[in-house]
Amino acid sequence: MMRLDRDNCSADQLYIQARARWVKVVDCNIYDNEDMLTSVAALLKKARQQNKHHLQSLVLLSDLMMVLGANREAMEIVEALVGLQPHNQTHARKKILLRKFQANQTDENRDAIRAFIESRWTETSDW
């Protein structure tokens, strides 16, 4: 199979690559592997460079940044999502969780973020 040149891929193509990789990660229950998270995030960041409003990439990238503990970057992405889809309850919930963690960086708040994201990953087939 021919490998796509990531420098010449559209945001949609990069997202499709990231999502395919991510499906394998979730199917194998290895979503706690930081290297895997980082490799998928790299594809999504490239997609964001191609199209800063690519919703699917932003949604999955915000999830990954939250789990990786990159909360400042996650909040930036979530705020962009809220701007693009102000009535989306998932984006609103992410923002609440991130604000709560920023105000009080406890293990309980960190665990709440992780539980929310992991439930999304295991209960949905679309990110």
Side-chain angles (χ1 to χ4, degrees):
M1 185 165 94
M2 190 173 96
R3 200 174 138 163
L4 293 174
D5 177 7
R6 290 193 181 119
D7 291 334
N8 296 318
C9 288
S10 70
D12 285 331
Q13 291 169 319
L14 290 163
Y15 172 76
I16 290 167
Q17 289 177 45
R19 190 174 192 283
R21 188 177 295 175
W22 189 245
V23 168
K24 290 177 186 176
V25 169
V26 172
D27 285 347
C28 295
N29 274 340
I30 55 173
Y31 43 82
D32 59 349
N33 181 308
E34 191 169 324
D35 290 339
M36 293 301 294
L37 296 175
T38 303
S39 72
V40 175
L43 285 171
L44 295 168
K45 286 179 180 183
K46 180 75 174 167
R48 188 176 187 202
Q49 290 172 351
Q50 297 290 339
N51 178 353
K52 69 179 181 174
H53 300 298
H54 192 263
L55 287 172
Q56 294 167 307
S57 295
L58 293 171
V59 169
L60 184 51
L61 184 57
S62 67
D63 287 356
L64 294 171
M65 293 298 98
M66 289 172 76
V67 170
L68 286 168
N71 295 314
R72 189 173 304 156
E73 187 174 357
M75 181 62 89
E76 174 195 326
I77 298 164
V78 168
E79 286 178 346
L81 284 166
V82 169
L84 293 167
Q85 294 182 317
H87 302 294
N88 184 298
Q89 294 301 308
T90 300
H91 307 333
R93 180 70 181 137
K94 286 181 182 183
K95 191 170 183 174
I96 289 167
L97 287 167
L98 285 166
R99 280 188 176 159
K100 190 172 182 179
F101 183 76
Q102 288 173 341
N104 191 7
Q105 296 186 14
T106 64
D107 288 341
E108 182 179 338
N109 288 336
R110 183 178 294 108
D111 291 345
I113 288 173
R114 185 153 184 110
F116 173 76
I117 298 301
E118 286 182 3
S119 72
R120 285 183 27 76
W121 290 344
T122 57
E123 295 172 10
T124 187
S125 63
D126 189 22
W127 298 282

